[in-house]
Each structure stands twice: as C-alpha cells, then as structure tokens.
Amino acid sequence: MDSAKVLLIFVFVYFVGLLVISYFTSRNSDNQSFFIGNKKSKWWLVAFGMIGTSLSGVTFISVPGTVGKMTAGNYPFGGFEYYMMVIGFFIGYFIVAAILLPLYYKMNLTSIYTYLGKRFNVEAHKIGSLFFIISRAIGATARLYLVVNVLQLFLLENLGVPFWVTAAVILLMVLLYTYEGGVKTIVITDTLQTSFMIISLVACIIYILSNLNLSTPEAFNILADKDYTHFINTDINSKTFFLKTILGGMFITIAMTGLDQEMMQKNISVDNLKNSKKNMLTFAGTLLLVNLAFLFLGGLLYLFAMQNGAEYSQLVDVVNGKENITNIFGFKDAAGNINNIMGDDLFPALSLQGYFPMFISVIFIIGLTSALFPSADGALTAVTSSYCVDLLNLNEDTTRAEKQKKTLRMKIHLIFTVVFFLLIMIFKWIDDKSIVYLIMEVAGYTYGPLLGLFAFGIFTKHTISKKYAILSVTILAPIFTYLINYVVSNFSDYKIGVELIILNGLLTFIGLWLVRKK
C-alpha cells in the first residue's frame, strides 16, 4: 500500500480514538460546559494539557525550522534566538500567576471578561469578549492552517485532493470532536495529545542522533560550530534583538494566556488558587525544557538534511531597482535546482518524503495530529462560549428554554466552524513560510487592546462614562500601531518585532487615560 495512504489511515484511527474518549468523558455527569468553571480538575493534569494547547503545530513544525536561518534570509529568527522569547513567556507566566489568577479567583469569574463589565461597563465587557473572539479565531486558524497545509502538500496533493476539501474535512473532525465536550473532556484529551507530541519529539531526536552516530553533547558542539546554537541577537535594530524579544514574549504571555478565556478557564477549573498557581508555574517550567528540545531537534534536522545532500543557496531578485536576496535550503532536483524546504517545510519534508524510515514517519504524523487538536478544539469551543455568554448573555436569558439555548449554541458553533474555514483559506492565500512570527505579529494587533484595557482597570481607579469611548480607543489604538510600525520600518533602520503588543497596549492605555472620567 502507498505510504501516504498508510499514514492517512493512522490519522483516521487517531481521530476515531479521540472521538471515543471525548464521547465517554462528555457522558460523565461531572463534565461541565466551557464556561461553568466547576473547579474539579487536577492541577497537574491541567498543566500537562495546557502544554499541548500552547505548543500546537507551530512549535512542532515552525520552531525547528527557524534554527537554520541565515542572516540575509526572510525568517525572523535564526539559531536558538527564539528561546529568548520563550524566556519572556516564562517571566510572563509568573506575572499572570501573581496578578491575574488571584483577581479571577477573588471575583469567582466564569468569563474573565466579566471583570471588565464590573470594573467599567457593559460596553467594556463586550469589547473584551469581541477582541478575544477575533484574536483566538485568527491565532487558532493560523496554527490549524500550518498542520492542514502539511497534510495537503505531503500526503493528499498527490492523491488529487484539493486543499479546501482537506481543510473542510479536518474542521468537520474538530466540530464532531468538540460537539459535546466541556472543560473535563478538553483537559483529559489535551493531556493525552500532549503525551503523544512529546513522545514524538523524543523519538525523532533519538533516531537522528543514532543515525548520525552522535551523542547529545557531540551534536551540540557541531551545532555550535555552525553557529546554530546562538541565543542572543545584539543588533538593536533587528526584529529579534534579545531584550525586545524577551519583553515582547513576556507581554504576549500576559495577553495570550492571562487575558485569554480558553487558557484561563482551564486554570480556574482547578480547585483552589494555590493549586492553580502551582499549575501555571509547573506549566511554565516545562515549556522551557520542551521548547529547548524542539530547537535542538531543529538543529539536528538541518544536520541530517546536510548529511543526506541538502545545501544552502541564494535567490536574487531585483524589485524596483533594489536587489533582494533570499536564502534557501534544500535538495537539488534532476535539473540542479534546489527545492526550498527552509522553515516550516523542513520537518515534514524529511519525515514524509522518504528521508526517514516509515516508523518515524508514523511517529511524526501522530505528533503532528496531536499538535493539531489541542489548539483547535479549545479555541472553537471557547469562541462559541464567549459569544454565547458574553455577547448574547445566554446564561442569564430566562425567555428561552434549555433546549432552545442548546440549539442556538450548536448553530453558533457551526457558524464559527465556517468562519475558521474561511480564515484557513486566507492563510493559504498568504502562504507564509514561517508562521510562528506571523502569529506573534497578529497577536500584537489583536491582543494589544485587551492588554491596555485590563492594565487600565487593574492599575488605575478611574472610570469611563462616555458612550463608545472604550470602543473608539480600542479601534484607534491598533490603527495607530500599524501606522507607527509602517513608518518606522520604512523610514528607519529600526525594525519593530514582538514588542508590537507593548506599543499597542500602551497606546490603548493612553487613549483610555485621555477619555477617563475626571
């Protein structure tokens, strides 16, 4: 049987297994809908499950691909520079545990955006929820696109299956998987999938080290000789200058975890604040190790590829009289042209095009599929729940019977599935080869207003009474952020990187200060 068909069978069997687990956990009477917040989950189980949600296909594919980037390439990170952002993430989790978790537990919130309603007004509550829905939908579909595109390019395209069909089938799987699930279902299945993802990571590292006849220290020495292990970029004008990468990573974590309903609902499902903090910090420490392992795997993938004939080259284009140099990496075809696999295509190309044995290809597919569902299932459930609870006030609606409410939730769930499909098609049109940085940049625009709004509420005592004042500020702040980014990038040597979210949050805070009630 064709190897692509064998791998597709493994994907199907894996998905059926998830459906069975989801069905039985959702039948349990203790399973709660995403916004009930039953506070019965074990802290260690939540911590492990959150790793899968946080890592996703981006870490599994995109992060290893950044390691071999050359100075003149189009990829934002090179070597182990991405780890500076991971350190920023780590610091951010401590801030979330120290400031936001106590706030959420003290107020006994079901939706964290209820805080904005109590602190300011209904307008702030709904705006917070709306920005979450936009942010989560875009971020989740970007991650989902990455996995769908890999399955399409390396397995399904040769079988004549169109990309839109692949995307639709995957989303149908996610829809079925999340149809009945609540917090308990998602925590348990995410934990299983995180286990599979980490097992795949370790198995691939062991195989490559064995194939290259290297020990771990020897491999690190070779990677260091090739300058693949450098952590710190000291060029202050660069997007990945280490200080702004750390700061940007810190605020991205505060926004994408601490102000994200999906991530925080899992945290506040833990029985008490002490265990919830323990969960958060355990999760943070584990991510340090797991991300370092993925970067190490990335270096090994480049070494393995070069051992098997891959090489670097450059493409030179002249646009408007300006010479653009693009570094590429890959294997030569019969005509002597290099098929570029640098970045997101590296790991899939080696795993699914015959360079690795079948058992490693199977392990890769299991790991990739495990990376797909944790980010997609919770996101689809969370945006549906946020829309129902925060925007429609469905929990407080006494005019509808429970059966009518459930029917409405299912309709909204289906509508968001269609929205996810459309966003995946947009990402396919963009066709970015290093999706990890694109996600961070989009987060800078969409989570920035949430960051500024929560900061203004927590660190000041001012209120805002003018109608549509908060809406105006949260719309104008991202626009001004974009304009500043455009001007700075095109008329100076300085390049704004992941600190974009800090700029956006600061502009939102200043705007709210200007319209405050004096």
Side-chain angles (χ1 to χ4, degrees):
M1 185 183 292
D2 185 86
S3 60
K5 294 179 181 177
V6 173
L7 295 174
L8 286 174
I9 290 173
F10 272 97
V11 172
F12 177 76
V13 171
Y14 182 93
F15 168 69
V16 171
L18 283 180
L19 275 183
V20 172
I21 295 170
S22 176
Y23 175 80
F24 282 108
T25 53
S26 66
R27 297 299 93 190
N28 189 306
S29 59
D30 286 337
N31 195 28
Q32 303 287 338
S33 69
F34 203 82
F35 268 75
I36 299 247
N38 55 322
K39 295 185 175 64
K40 290 184 179 178
S41 301
K42 300 292 185 182
W43 69 265
W44 54 269
L45 192 65
V46 175
F48 203 64
M50 283 177 64
I51 294 170
T53 305
S54 178
L55 295 179
S56 76
V58 171
T59 312
F60 196 76
I61 295 176
S62 199
V63 169
T66 65
V67 174
K69 168 242 182 181
M70 293 172 66
T71 305
N74 294 329
Y75 299 94
F77 295 103
F80 284 15
E81 289 175 11
Y82 178 76
Y83 203 67
M84 292 297 100
M85 185 177 290
V86 177
I87 291 174
F89 294 162
F90 181 74
I91 298 170
Y93 290 123
F94 276 83
I95 296 173
V96 172
I99 298 176
L100 293 175
L101 277 179
L103 176 67
Y104 298 152
Y105 270 83
K106 181 181 178 181
M107 298 183 70
N108 195 27
L109 300 178
T110 52
S111 166
I112 63 174
Y113 309 114
T114 305
Y115 164 76
L116 296 176
K118 294 180 178 180
R119 175 63 179 82
F120 297 110
N121 50 39
V122 174
E123 179 186 335
H125 180 181
K126 294 188 181 300
I127 288 171
S129 175
L130 187 61
F131 269 98
F132 161 70
I133 290 171
I134 293 171
S135 304
R136 207 69 184 94
I138 294 175
T141 50
R143 294 176 175 91
L144 191 55
Y145 156 74
L146 183 61
V147 178
V148 172
N149 198 46
V150 167
L151 294 175
Q152 174 67 25
L153 290 177
F154 296 98
L155 294 181
L156 293 166
E157 201 162 86
N158 291 335
L159 300 176
V161 180
F163 177 84
W164 70 267
V165 173
T166 305
V169 171
I170 292 292
L171 278 171
L172 179 61
M173 290 180 175
V174 175
L175 180 65
L176 292 172
Y177 171 52
T178 59
Y179 195 77
E180 289 286 349
V183 172
K184 185 173 181 179
T185 299
I186 290 174
V187 167
I188 291 175
T189 52
D190 281 3
T191 300
L192 290 173
Q193 291 169 97
T194 301
S195 302
F196 289 134
M197 196 189 312
I198 293 177
I199 290 169
S200 299
L201 164 66
V202 173
C204 290
I205 289 175
I206 291 173
Y207 169 76
I208 297 175
L209 286 174
S210 175
N211 184 272
L212 297 176
N213 293 315
L214 295 174
S215 66
T216 299
E218 289 171 340
F220 260 110
N221 289 335
I222 295 174
L223 293 174
D225 290 340
K226 294 183 177 296
D227 201 28
Y228 280 175
T229 59
H230 69 274
F231 286 91
I232 296 177
N233 180 351
T234 57
D235 180 5
I236 195 170
N237 290 325
S238 170
K239 283 188 174 185
T240 58
F241 175 58
F242 77 102
L243 285 179
K244 61 186 184 184
T245 301
I246 292 174
L247 284 173
M250 182 176 73
F251 280 95
I252 281 173
T253 289
I254 294 171
M256 294 183 72
T257 298
L259 307 181
D260 185 292
Q261 176 62 38
E262 178 194 351
M263 297 294 282
M264 294 315 296
Q265 182 62 29
K266 292 177 181 178
N267 275 275
I268 61 180
S269 72
V270 177
D271 55 356
N272 59 63
L273 176 59
K274 181 181 178 181
N275 282 341
S276 185
K277 287 184 175 181
K278 193 185 297 184
N279 152 58
M280 178 68 71
L281 300 183
T282 301
F283 164 61
T286 306
L287 279 186
L288 281 178
L289 298 175
V290 173
N291 276 282
L292 184 60
F294 271 109
L295 288 169
F296 179 55
L297 171 62
L300 293 179
L301 289 171
Y302 278 95
L303 291 183
F304 180 89
M306 286 186 283
Q307 182 78 14
N308 286 272
E311 58 185 78
Y312 283 99
S313 186
Q314 290 184 334
L315 293 177
V316 180
D317 294 320
V318 178
V319 181
N320 298 324
K322 185 178 179 180
E323 189 178 81
N324 292 324
I325 299 176
T326 303
N327 286 303
I328 60 174
F329 176 84
F331 300 95
K332 286 184 177 180
D333 59 20
N337 299 314
I338 290 180
N339 178 27
N340 186 26
I341 57 172
M342 184 186 285
D344 293 350
D345 290 341
L346 175 66
F347 199 2
L350 294 177
S351 300
L352 303 177
Q353 291 188 335
Y355 296 99
F356 287 165
M358 176 57 76
F359 80 94
I360 291 293
S361 298
V362 170
I363 289 173
F364 171 80
I365 280 293
I366 291 173
L368 182 66
T369 311
S370 298
L372 183 156
F373 284 102
S375 59
D377 60 7
L380 188 57
T381 305
V383 295
T384 300
S385 297
S386 185
Y387 188 88
C388 292
V389 173
D390 294 313
L391 299 183
L392 297 184
N393 294 322
L394 205 57
N395 283 0
E396 300 171 8
D397 188 350
T398 58
T399 62
R400 291 185 175 94
E402 283 303 316
K403 187 175 181 180
Q404 291 176 309
K405 289 181 181 180
K406 184 174 182 179
T407 301
L408 180 58
R409 286 191 190 99
M410 292 303 102
K411 288 179 180 178
I412 293 170
H413 202 60
L414 181 59
I415 290 171
F416 274 116
T417 305
V418 175
V419 171
F420 275 33
F421 172 77
L422 295 175
L423 287 172
I424 289 173
M425 298 307 294
I426 291 173
F427 279 111
K428 178 63 175 176
W429 173 68
I430 295 172
D431 195 28
D432 193 285
K433 290 298 182 184
S434 190
I435 205 81
V436 62
Y437 190 78
L438 178 63
I439 290 174
M440 299 303 175
E441 186 168 3
V442 171
Y445 288 109
T446 58
Y447 277 100
L450 270 177
L451 185 64
L453 195 53
F454 270 86
F456 190 82
I458 293 171
F459 297 113
T460 77
K461 295 183 179 180
H462 297 293
T463 59
I464 298 173
S465 59
K466 293 179 182 178
K467 194 174 183 180
Y468 302 128
I470 296 176
L471 177 62
S472 301
V473 169
T474 53
I475 290 175
L476 288 173
I479 293 173
F480 280 116
T481 302
Y482 175 81
L483 293 175
I484 292 171
N485 188 21
Y486 179 83
V487 171
V488 170
S489 298
N490 287 280
F491 298 100
S492 75
D493 293 330
Y494 185 86
K495 304 299 179 186
I496 296 177
V498 289
E499 76 274 23
L500 190 75
I501 193 171
I502 304 175
L503 173 63
N504 197 357
L506 181 61
L507 290 177
T508 303
F509 190 97
I510 293 171
L512 294 172
W513 180 270
L514 294 175
V515 300
R516 74 193 188 282
K517 183 179 180 180
K518 298 182 181 179

